């Protein structure tokens, strides 16, 4: 196995629920560790079907175990553009419904790209988003999913390691996949604002969660294939702090080498 790949810690869990719970425990672990030292936590966060179980488990931990989100700052990866925050398709609304409305976070510390701005104001907003992350002191832990095009955030094929927060055009496969999460009869915008690969790679620790047989091919390409902009998630291979959590179906196409080292 190449030294490059050895940096990734891969864990294959029994099923989707167990894998989502493991991802939630990693987030909670970072929060608790930092709370014990009295330092705030900056989280990078993803949306998508994969995250539903993770946020459900974090809400459960808040209610039953007293896990606190006071002092947590959250930066989400992306938002559709144009998109109003109260639109049922929006990632603003999704994050509030799945997580933020149910925990003790300070609403002023919840950040997502603003999908309401006109085109001419987007560049300035993207720069401001990057600045806000830096001002918060960098992302301590990033929770990532992966799209079937290999995207992390909405970094579609062609997104290099140096990309930053910007407006992107969505791949037709992504639009078709994500349409399943949108209310019936509605269409998704063809554009989104996303953190870049470079923005994501600056996080101290990253957990990538992938669930289901439909992710098996892209998971294998991302973890074992060449590191290049054809699969944005492949750049995770060059980050030292990445943990990959998979259910058995998503791990189905990994080589014996990777699986042999998996926990
Ligand atoms: C979405 C989001 C990503 C997410 C990915 C996987 O489009 N922009 O952040 O990780 O695609 O989505 P899902 O979990 O629904 O498969």
């Amino acid at each position: 196995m190449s030294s490059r790949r050895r940096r990734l810690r891969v864990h294959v869990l029994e099923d989707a629920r167990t894998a989502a719970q493991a991802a939630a425990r990693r987030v909670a672990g970072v929060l608790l560790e930092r709370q014990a030292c009295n330092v705030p936590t900056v989280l990078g966060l993803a949306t998508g079907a994969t995250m539903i179980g993770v946020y459900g488990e974090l809400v459960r931990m808040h209610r039953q175990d007293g896990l606190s989100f006071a002092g947590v700052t959250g930066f989400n990866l992306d938002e559709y553009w144009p998109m109003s925050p109260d639109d049922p398709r929006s990632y603003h609304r999704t994050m509030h419904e799945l997580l933020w409305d149910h925990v003790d976070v300070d609403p002023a510390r919840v950040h997502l790209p603003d999908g309401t701005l006109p085109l001419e104001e987007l560049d300035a907003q993207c720069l401001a988003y990057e600045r806000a992350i830096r001002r918060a002191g960098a992302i301590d832990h990033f929770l990532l999913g992966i799209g079937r095009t290999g995207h992390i955030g909405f970094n579609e094929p062609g997104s290099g390691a140096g990309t930053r927060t910007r407006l992107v055009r969505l791949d037709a496969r992504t639009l078709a996949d994500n349409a399943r999460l949108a209310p019936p009869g509605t269409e998704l915008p063809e554009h989104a604002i996303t953190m870049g690969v470079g923005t994501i790679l600056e996080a101290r620790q990253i957990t990538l969660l992938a669930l289901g047989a439909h992710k098996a091919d892209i998971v294998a390409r991302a973890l074992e294939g060449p590191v290049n902009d054809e699969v944005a998630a492949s750049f995770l291979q060059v980050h030292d702090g990445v943990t990959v959590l998979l259910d058995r179906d998503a791990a189905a196409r990994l080589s014996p080498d990777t699986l042999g080292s998996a926990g």
Side-chain angles (χ1 to χ4, degrees):
M1 199 192 301
S2 73
S3 59
R4 192 187 62 203
R5 205 189 303 157
R6 215 175 295 135
R7 290 181 183 184
L8 293 170
R9 288 171 288 274
V10 180
H11 300 281
V12 181
L13 286 305
E14 185 66 26
D15 54 27
R17 187 157 168 265
T18 318
Q21 286 170 340
R25 275 199 306 276
R26 289 187 59 78
V27 174
V30 175
L31 258 57
L32 292 171
E33 208 178 283
R34 296 182 66 84
Q35 284 163 0
C37 307
N38 243 331
V39 284
T41 308
V42 183
L43 295 178
L45 298 161
T47 45
T50 309
M51 297 301 149
I52 295 173
V54 183
Y55 295 140
E57 177 65 6
L58 286 171
V59 170
R60 188 203 64 74
M61 288 174 171
H62 170 69
R63 287 183 178 150
Q64 293 176 10
D65 309 336
L67 180 70
S68 175
F69 289 77
V72 169
T73 299
F75 286 96
N76 262 80
L77 281 165
D78 43 22
E79 178 58 286
Y80 291 109
W81 182 86
M83 185 57 67
S84 137
D86 46 14
D87 189 303
R89 299 166 300 172
S90 86
Y91 286 166
H92 277 79
R93 182 147 164 195
T94 303
M95 284 306 295
H96 280 280
E97 287 180 353
L98 292 180
L99 179 66
W100 296 132
D101 286 355
H102 312 290
V103 297
D104 57 341
V105 73
D106 173 358
R109 290 175 181 259
V110 169
H111 305 274
L112 290 97
D114 183 351
T116 67
L117 295 179
L119 185 59
E120 59 274 19
E121 289 176 32
L122 290 186
D123 281 353
Q125 189 218 167
C126 291
L127 285 172
Y129 205 63
E130 295 271 341
R131 265 199 310 274
I133 296 170
R134 277 198 298 276
R135 249 199 328 267
I139 290 172
D140 297 303
H141 183 272
F142 221 127
L143 183 60
L144 288 180
I146 182 171
R148 288 200 302 163
T149 60
H151 66 228
I152 45 177
F154 272 134
N155 291 286
E156 299 287 29
S159 302
T163 47
R164 313 300 307 189
T165 303
R166 69 204 186 286
L167 184 71
V168 292
R169 190 181 182 87
L170 298 172
D171 192 282
R173 286 167 295 176
T174 299
L175 286 168
D177 282 351
N178 288 9
R180 285 181 306 213
L181 293 177
T186 59
E187 281 189 12
L188 290 172
E190 290 177 1
H191 291 89
I193 303 160
T194 182
M195 284 188 201
V197 177
T199 323
I200 296 167
L201 292 178
E202 280 169 7
R204 296 189 176 101
Q205 274 181 49
I206 296 174
T207 298
L208 176 72
L209 175 65
L211 307 174
H214 61 301
K215 297 287 174 74
D217 280 331
I218 197 62
V219 163
R221 285 181 69 195
L223 305 192
E224 299 175 346
V227 176
N228 62 38
D229 65 12
E230 282 172 35
V231 175
S234 68
F235 290 110
L236 298 174
Q237 293 181 33
V238 300
H239 189 292
D240 276 323
V242 176
T243 297
V244 182
L245 301 177
L246 305 169
D247 65 2
R248 285 186 178 163
D249 291 339
R253 296 275 157 82
L254 289 175
S255 71
D257 245 12
T258 307
L259 290 172
S261 64

